[in-house]
Amino acid sequence: MYYERKIKTTRVFQNEEQKKNDRIEISTESDRGRILNCSAIRRLQQRTQVFPLEEDATIRSRLTHSLEVQQTGRYIAREILKQATQNNVVLFETDDPNESQNYRDAFISLVEMACLLHDIGNPPFGHFGEKAIQDWANENLDKIFEESIPNKSSVLPVDRNMLLLDLKNFDGNAQGIRLVTSLQQLNLTYSQIASFLKYTRGAFEEGKREKIDKKPGFFFSEKEIVEKIYEELNMDLYHRFPLVYIMEAADDICYSIADLDDALDKGIIKIVDFLDYLRRQEQFPKTILEEIEKDYQRSKEQRHNNPNAYFMILLRVKLQKNLVPEIAKHYLINRNEIFMGKLDCALIDTSKKHSAEKREWFDLLELMQNFAREQIFTNKKICEMELKGYKIIHSLLEIFKPVLKVPLDVFKDDEKFRKQYPLQYRLYNRLPKKYQIAYKNAQNDCKNHEDIFGEYLELYYRTRLIFDYISGMTDNFALKEHQLLTGIQ
């Protein structure tokens, strides 16, 4: 099971001559450049991690969180390669040392860039923005589809139901795949896209397995490209790409630390609150608790400008020092299952379950997550801002809803559209041109269906157009757009 069979240079837009001459080291750098210069990455700097509409630049945004995940992912990937060398585990088939190094570099870079991309599809206001889109879709789309295209006996209801299910299952992970393929058209290698395809089922399908299918990984609109990825990389249906497990582990470590760190900075909690929480956990090892308490005392005694920050540095270093080598070890222990994408749990979960020496550090990570859920995310100010964000996204969808009710024959004719539906026409023209072009390009799919299913597809892509616009906003822009369109400002 050699990684040359997974790390490939193939892209969607690539002629035979390019395929023939492309080298892995050039392809890797090309992917990095495309991702780092992508506007969707820049928009993450004004999108919620935990605290919506945060003005303090030291509090994490989606971008700063993603940068931390990128670094941790790099650390894990390098540790895996180091342990593989130490234990004579052969991951690459080539005997050429230069070619082997190129593939090792590509292994690390694919993980890094997957980590940077992992939150790219998340809408404004985090999971509450995502929930607002899901709720609005479930409340409105059945009626809109029925009124716009009355069901007929000649049409299989499963077609419409499949598209509706896909729209109702809006998810940031699937939107991320859509962003880099259909909207931004970054033309990344199939290996790079597969590296952050965290969940393996389509939004138009029901869940199948406990972990890797619990959420949608891609939409119907990207079904064709995902199928190409699976075919090119020799992946079985509903199986993961191996490097996804590393990206997921890096994210699990980073958000657990970041939530606690930001809450301390905001004054929502104190270190003693976290220590008291750990003391109440009867099964938590005293030795680890004493070590953390010593670090707390050390942070108070040191002449440091920010004792909280110093404590968090000590905690982060200890966590990563203990967790990363163990995670790398279990990646290699499970390398056959992981290579085939068959491991149906997170890498951190299997590492914790089978760890003989470091289990208590995995327990600490889980306790940090539980502490955040119980004492940080329940903070009144956070809850108020989340509710505000939910209302903004839901309201924006209501504002743009009339665009979905314009008859198809009118929607296609610019002059008729402008004259007969002036309000809807103005709303439509607020949508970015690049999204309008993506919608029009998708109409090629509709033309292949002369029956009524083609009409469903058109309405499906029109709905996607609005979802693309609203989910792609930053927190601040969503607030301003809402204020503008509701007449508040």
Side-chain angles (χ1 to χ4, degrees), residues 194-376:
S195 296
F196 84 109
L197 183 59
K198 186 175 179 181
Y199 300 107
T200 60
R201 71 173 171 92
F204 48 90
E205 302 173 293
E206 299 292 345
K208 298 181 184 298
R209 292 191 285 177
E210 182 179 348
K211 179 66 180 178
I212 64 176
D213 282 345
K214 70 175 185 178
K215 296 174 73 176
F218 60 95
F219 297 128
F220 176 81
S221 48
E222 284 65 57
K223 179 174 179 286
E224 186 176 328
I225 189 171
V226 170
E227 288 173 346
K228 286 181 182 177
I229 290 170
Y230 270 74
E231 180 182 355
E232 176 67 23
L233 302 181
N234 301 307
M235 295 166 60
D236 292 331
L237 197 62
Y238 304 117
H239 288 65
R240 275 178 164 179
F241 190 71
L243 303 189
V244 172
Y245 293 97
I246 305 174
M247 176 270 288
E248 183 179 43
D251 186 32
D252 287 343
I253 292 172
C254 287
Y255 80 75
S256 304
I257 297 168
D259 294 345
L260 184 59
D261 193 12
D262 283 346
L264 285 169
D265 264 2
K266 293 282 290 181
I268 290 172
I269 58 160
K270 298 177 181 177
I271 295 174
V272 292
D273 298 328
F274 177 56
L275 294 177
D276 287 343
Y277 180 81
L278 293 181
R279 293 184 190 110
R280 293 196 298 271
Q281 311 307 312
E282 295 180 359
Q283 302 300 317
F284 189 63
K286 299 292 184 188
T287 53
I288 305 298
L289 178 58
E290 288 171 2
E291 195 171 337
I292 297 171
E293 288 175 330
K294 284 180 183 177
D295 286 340
Y296 175 51
Q297 291 302 320
R298 183 179 167 191
S299 70
K300 290 195 297 181
E301 292 165 3
Q302 291 282 341
R303 298 172 68 94
H304 197 281
N305 292 338
N306 188 336
N308 285 347
Y310 187 59
F311 171 80
M312 288 305 304
I313 289 171
L314 296 174
L315 181 60
R316 183 179 70 251
V317 169
K318 278 190 167 66
L319 270 169
Q320 293 197 349
K321 182 180 176 182
N322 284 280
L323 293 179
V324 169
E326 198 71 7
I327 289 167
K329 181 176 82 173
H330 286 279
Y331 184 94
L332 293 173
I333 289 172
N334 295 280
R335 63 184 178 274
N336 291 338
E337 263 194 301
I338 287 173
F339 186 87
M340 299 302 294
K342 293 180 179 179
L343 184 66
D344 189 25
C345 66
L347 182 55
I348 276 195
D349 292 341
T350 193
S351 300
K352 175 182 176 179
K353 183 177 179 181
H354 300 288
S355 178
E357 301 174 356
K358 303 292 184 179
R359 183 184 175 92
E360 62 270 19
W361 292 98
F362 290 99
D363 289 336
L364 174 60
L365 192 72
E366 185 176 346
L367 287 173
M368 289 168 67
Q369 295 166 0
N370 294 340
F371 177 77
R373 279 191 290 269
E374 294 173 22
Q375 298 195 32
I376 298 175

Side-chain angles (χ1 to χ4, degrees), residues 157 163 168-169 191 194 197 207 222 239 255 279 298 308 337 342 357 380 382 384 414 435-436 459 478 488:
L163 296 178
K168 292 173 184 178
N169 281 337
S191 296
L197 183 59
E222 284 65 57
H239 288 65
Y255 80 75
R279 293 184 190 110
R298 183 179 167 191
N308 285 347
E337 263 194 301
K342 293 180 179 179
E357 301 174 356
K380 183 179 179 181
I382 295 177
E384 286 174 353
D414 190 73
Y435 291 164
Q436 293 183 25
L459 190 52
I488 296 174

Side-chain angles (χ1 to χ4, degrees), residues 400 403 411 414 417-418 421-433 436 440 465 469 481:
F400 282 91
V403 174
F411 195 73
D414 190 73
F417 189 10
R418 178 173 55 82
Y421 293 87
L423 170 64
Q424 291 87 334
Y425 185 80
R426 283 160 176 77
L427 285 170
Y428 175 74
N429 280 289
R430 288 193 69 79
L431 305 175
K433 293 296 180 186
Q436 293 183 25
K440 289 172 182 174
L465 171 62
Y469 177 49
E481 185 78 341

Side-chain angles (χ1 to χ4, degrees), residues 3 10 38 65 67 111 118 164 181 227-228 294 324 338 352 372 381 466 485:
Y3 275 80
T10 317
C38 170
H65 164 68
L67 290 170
V111 170
H118 83 282
L164 283 168
T181 56
E227 288 173 346
K228 286 181 182 177
K294 284 180 183 177
V324 169
I338 287 173
K352 175 182 176 179
K381 181 66 174 175
I466 293 171
L485 295 176

